[in-house]
């Protein structure tokens, strides 16, 4: 069965070749890339434009919960 994948932080650091609207958010994208994360969850979607997210899917907390409900609890998703 599937579950949520938790990956260990790698020892090497990835440097971005782009700049995000808020440079304080760049470390979060670097970590997501270094860990090969499936997604990055944030309440600041505007700080992670698709064109600058280096292929990492960026989701709001609500969208992430919707993805989990659809994937792991499809019958529950139909109720809510």
């Amino acid at each position: 069965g599937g579950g949520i994948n938790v990956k260990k932080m790698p020892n090497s650091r990835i440097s971005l070749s782009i700049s995000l609207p808020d440079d304080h958010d760049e470390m979060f994208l670097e970590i997501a890339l270094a860990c090969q994360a499936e997604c990055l969850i944030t309440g600041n979607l505007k700080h992670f434009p698709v064109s600058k997210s280096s292929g990492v899917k960026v989701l709001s907390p609500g969208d992430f919960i919707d993805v989990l409900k659809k994937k792991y609890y499809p019958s529950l998703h139909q109720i809510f």
Side-chain angles (χ1 to χ4, degrees):
I4 296 174
N5 250 345
V6 177
K7 297 181 181 182
K8 183 180 176 190
M9 245 328 264
N11 292 330
S12 60
R13 181 169 182 204
I14 291 182
S15 294
L16 297 177
S17 59
I18 51 89
S19 295
L20 293 175
D22 181 347
D23 61 347
H24 293 103
D25 290 329
E26 291 174 2
M27 69 178 140
F28 300 111
L29 184 55
E30 290 171 352
I31 291 167
L33 289 167
C35 292
Q36 299 174 349
E38 292 180 34
C39 65
L40 187 152
I41 303 159
T42 180
N44 290 320
L45 293 175
K46 66 182 178 180
H47 290 186
F48 296 91
V50 173
S51 64
K52 295 189 173 197
S53 295
S54 301
V56 175
K57 186 184 295 186
V58 180
L59 301 171
S60 70
D63 288 342
F64 180 68
I65 295 297
D66 287 344
V67 168
L68 290 180
K69 285 195 285 189
K70 286 179 190 174
K71 186 171 183 176
Y72 297 105
Y73 304 101
S75 59
L76 179 66
H77 181 70
Q78 294 169 2
I79 297 170
F80 294 101

